[in-house]
Amino acid sequence: MDLIERYLKAVGAQLPAAGREDILAELRDLLMSRVEEREAELGRPLTEAEVEALLREVGHPLTVAARYGAGPQHVVGPELYPWWMFGVKTALTVLVLITAVGAVARILFGQVEVGQAIGQAFAGLFESGLTVVGLATLAGFIIERQAKKPAFLTDWRAKDLGLFEVGVFSRRWWDALHEKSGGGTLAETDKALDASLPKMSPTAGALGSATGWGIFLLWWSGLLGLGFRPEDLGGELVRGEIDYGLLFAETVTLLYWPVLVFAAAQGLFHVLRALTGSPARLTAFGDVVFRGASLTLLGWIWLYSPFSSLIRVDSVGAFVERTETLVRTHDGVDTILMLIVAAAILGEVFALLGALKTLFVGR
């Protein structure tokens, strides 16, 4: 029975030292019993090929050893899978958006052909997508092997179930598109699409935000292989004696660490929101802090960044005059940048006021 002993050695090599001998003794008895039963049926000793067939019926040594192992026999189990899938979908969506913005910027402002930019975008997206799926799977692997299940798996609430019907990833959204292709009117399709986009619960929104900020952080730090860095978005835009691409790269360099800290803090804060059920005042407090930080960064861009001399105006009259000139001449990259930064500042101010109201009122 050399084959059986060799089989047992292969199984034993995969077993922990504690209890190994007992398991092998039990397995040896099982195998010998099956051999004896088969020999009794045939009325003769089994051939080597028949012993091989019997061992294959029992299972491969890796599979058999796993039956006696502790812990789950899967990387991401069915209970955790919806959460894993949600994280992957959200992360891939953010990746697609970043890649699309980068490709468009390189086509418009850089010396890159359309076909080359698209090809590089797809290559970078594929590589980064694999990284995202790998990181999500690693996280699932670790969670599955915790002695205690995370609270989000056990202490869920009915109002958070919209998490699994996220936007365009839901079947209803695709069904609505299919109905349109079958002859539905545009109004009917819009109504069906609106119905297929349930409002995400605060916890679901927090998880989505945490995932999005995590992907942005990986990209900003250069850990995602998208084929372009943040400074590349400026391209090679030269107007007159001004190299806007160079100014953009210098600004990104100066903002590298502040934005890195800002994105990391945002991601951690949204994880905290998800773990605590995203209470209104906690969310509002975070919004106040982060809106204030955003205003600080935008204020720096307006007053002190390499772009400051191009976009800064000292009065409302000067702001209006530059805007009117842009409308008349349809030329003025610096004025366009001025309007973008001014609009961002105004948007952050209104968002900050809304967050302050929620913080004090509680809803």
Side-chain angles (χ1 to χ4, degrees), residues 131-132 135 212-225 260 263:
T131 301
V132 166
L135 290 174
W213 279 107
I215 295 301
F216 175 83
L217 181 64
L218 291 174
W219 170 67
W220 182 265
S221 61
L223 297 179
L224 283 181
L260 192 74

Side-chain angles (χ1 to χ4, degrees), residues 69-345:
Q73 301 300 318
H74 47 255
V75 177
V76 178
E79 188 175 10
L80 184 62
Y81 177 78
W83 299 84
W84 176 88
M85 180 58 73
F86 169 78
V88 169
K89 287 176 177 178
T90 305
L92 292 179
T93 300
V94 175
L95 274 180
V96 170
L97 292 176
I98 292 175
T99 304
V101 170
V104 172
R106 298 177 72 195
I107 292 170
L108 294 178
F109 306 125
Q111 296 178 346
V112 180
E113 298 292 337
V114 175
Q116 181 183 0
I118 294 175
Q120 291 175 348
F122 273 108
L125 185 61
F126 179 77
E127 180 181 347
S128 302
L130 291 180
T131 301
V132 166
V133 173
L135 290 174
T137 304
L138 177 61
F141 178 87
I142 294 173
I143 292 173
E144 287 284 3
R145 281 146 185 83
Q146 298 302 305
K148 183 180 179 182
K149 291 184 178 180
F152 68 82
L153 287 178
T154 55
D155 300 334
W156 55 272
R157 298 175 300 179
K159 67 179 183 179
D160 293 335
L161 296 182
L163 169 66
F164 304 107
E165 301 178 22
V166 179
V168 298
F169 302 126
S170 71
R171 283 298 311 171
R172 286 186 293 167
W173 195 89
W174 292 102
D175 290 343
L177 286 181
H178 179 70
E179 291 174 4
K180 168 154 178 46
S181 64
T185 66
L186 183 60
E188 291 172 345
T189 301
D190 289 341
K191 184 177 180 181
L193 290 177
D194 289 340
S196 72
L197 300 175
K199 292 184 178 180
M200 292 176 62
S201 68
T203 300
L207 285 172
S209 297
T211 303
W213 279 107
I215 295 301
F216 175 83
L217 181 64
L218 291 174
W219 170 67
W220 182 265
S221 61
L223 297 179
L224 283 181
L226 285 179
F228 64 94
R229 299 290 303 276
E231 58 268 24
D232 296 333
L233 295 181
E236 297 182 9
L237 178 61
V238 179
R239 291 291 185 273
E241 298 180 355
I242 302 175
D243 188 340
Y244 288 93
L246 179 60
L247 292 178
F248 187 89
E250 292 175 354
T251 302
V252 168
T253 300
L254 292 171
L255 287 178
Y256 178 80
W257 286 107
V259 171
L260 192 74
V261 172
F262 180 83
Q266 282 268 29
L268 291 174
F269 173 71
H270 290 301
V271 169
L272 176 62
R273 284 181 56 210
L275 293 176
T276 58
S278 193
R281 277 198 166 93
L282 174 64
T283 301
F285 175 78
D287 282 342
V288 169
V289 172
F290 291 116
R291 298 297 181 183
S294 296
L295 281 172
T296 301
L297 292 176
L298 290 169
W300 176 84
I301 292 174
W302 185 271
L303 296 173
Y304 304 110
S305 74
F307 284 104
S308 178
S309 61
L310 300 177
I311 65 176
R312 180 178 175 180
V313 291
D314 298 323
S315 66
V316 176
F319 183 91
V320 173
E321 182 180 349
R322 288 184 61 176
T323 304
E324 291 176 345
T325 301
L326 174 66
V327 173
R328 288 197 312 270
T329 63
H330 303 288
D331 186 27
V333 176
D334 52 349
T335 303
I336 294 175
L337 293 175
M338 178 195 74
L339 292 173
I340 291 174
V341 175
I345 292 174

